[in-house]
Amino acid sequence: NAGVTQTPKFRILKIGQSMTLQCTQDMNHNYMYWYRQDPGMGLKLIYYSVGAGITDKGEVPNGYNVSRSTTEDFPLRLELAAPSQTSVYFCASRLGLAVSYEQYFGPGTRLTVT
Amino acid sequence: DAKTTQPNSMESNEEEPVHLPCNHSTISGTDYIHWYRQLPSQGPEYVIHGLTSNVNNRMASLAIAEDRKSSTLILHRATLRDAAVYYCILRDRRSQGNLIFGKGTKLSVKP
C-alpha cells in the first residue's frame, strides 16, 4: 500500500490564483481530513469527510472547499489564494471503526502565496 | 475540547529513557489520550493512545495518572531517529476522530 499520497509536494501561487491540492489513500478508509500547519505551530483542521459524498467544516474552513466523490480521493480547493494561506497542508485518513483510532498522514504539500 | 499542556522542548541522550509529560486537568470521562509525533519535514505519525490503563506498544509506553489529569509518554531507549515534535492530544470518543493539535514538545536527542 502507498498509504496517503499528496500532490504536489511544493507550489508557489500568486495572490488571487486558484489551485487544487490532491489527496489519495489506498487503504479503503472512510474518514479523511485536511489540516494546515503554520510555522512553529500545531496542525489545524480545515475540512473532514466521514465517507463519499459527506463533508464537514473544521476549525479553519474559510477560503477552502472540498469534495469527496470517491472513497479514495479528497481534494482541497483553494479559491483566490491569499498570503495567509501560505502553509504546509497535510491530508490524513482513518478507517472509521470504533476500534480504529489511528490517523495516517500524507507527506504534506508546502504552499507559498506571494 | 479539553486542552493539554506540554513543555516546549526537552533534551535527551541517545540510548537513555525519555519521559515526556502532558497535563490535561480538564479531561472528561469520554476523552482518549493520544500521542502523535512529527519528524522533521514529515507528516505526523501515530505513537500510542489510552483511556485509563497504562499501554505499551513497540514504539513507546503510555503511563496515565490515576485521576487521568496527566500522562507521560515513555520512550525506553531514545535513538537519534526519535528527535521529533511530540503531540499529546485528547480525543472525545464520541467525535468524528478530529484531532486538535497544540504546539507539542520538541525532543532533541544527543549522541
Side-chain angles (χ1 to χ4, degrees):
Chain A
N1 287 349
V4 179
T5 57
Q6 294 182 237
T7 56
K9 285 186 169 45
F10 304 92
R11 183 74 186 267
I12 298 174
L13 278 183
K14 293 190 187 305
I15 295 172
Q17 288 184 322
S18 300
M19 76 165 293
T20 299
L21 282 66
Q22 301 292 345
C23 175
T24 299
Q25 53 91 9
D26 62 359
M27 298 173 283
N28 203 30
H29 285 176
N30 295 318
Y31 287 60
M32 295 188 74
Y33 307 85
W34 272 107
Y35 295 88
R36 59 175 286 175
Q37 184 175 33
D38 298 332
M41 306 295 286
L43 282 70
K44 291 187 177 180
L45 183 66
I46 305 171
Y47 271 96
Y48 67 97
S49 169
V50 302
I54 306 169
T55 62
D56 207 347
K57 296 178 180 178
E59 183 184 356
V60 289
N62 290 345
Y64 307 94
N65 279 301
V66 293
S67 59
R68 183 96 182 272
S69 56
T70 66
T71 299
E72 295 78 20
D73 300 307
F74 190 40
L76 178 71
R77 177 84 178 159
L78 276 73
E79 305 282 1
L80 299 175
S84 60
Q85 293 177 305
T86 293
S87 191
V88 181
Y89 292 83
F90 292 101
C91 179
S93 71
R94 182 172 79 92
L95 182 56
L97 297 176
V99 295
S100 168
Y101 307 104
E102 181 178 353
Q103 283 192 24
Y104 294 80
F105 284 81
T109 294
R110 186 175 296 274
L111 176 67
T112 301
V113 182
T114 62
Chain B
D1 294 288
K3 291 183 65 175
T4 63
T5 304
Q6 300 177 252
N8 289 333
S9 62
M10 291 183 65
E11 272 192 356
S12 171
N13 293 317
E14 197 176 11
E15 298 190 2
E16 290 186 356
V18 182
H19 290 234
L20 296 163
C22 181
N23 287 319
H24 28 79
S25 58
T26 59
I27 191 170
S28 75
T30 54
D31 284 334
Y32 280 87
I33 302 161
H34 287 246
W35 283 82
Y36 280 73
R37 72 179 185 180
Q38 187 174 20
L39 303 174
S41 300
Q42 294 189 27
E45 65 175 343
Y46 168 85
V47 177
I48 201 167
H49 79 277
L51 184 61
T52 56
S53 304
N54 294 345
V55 184
N56 300 298
N57 66 20
R58 63 174 181 81
M59 288 182 70
S61 296
L62 176 60
I64 301 173
E66 203 168 324
D67 63 4
R68 300 211 323 129
K69 293 183 184 300
S70 65
S71 60
T72 302
L73 180 70
I74 303 165
L75 307 179
H76 296 287
R77 287 184 67 212
T79 69
L80 297 178
R81 196 195 172 275
D82 291 322
V85 177
Y86 287 79
Y87 298 99
C88 170
I89 302 166
L90 300 184
R91 183 185 74 82
D92 191 326
R93 66 181 177 189
R94 299 167 299 181
S95 76
Q96 302 290 3
N98 304 344
L99 300 175
I100 298 176
F101 288 78
K103 292 186 180 181
T105 297
K106 184 174 183 178
L107 176 66
S108 302
V109 180
K110 296 184 291 184

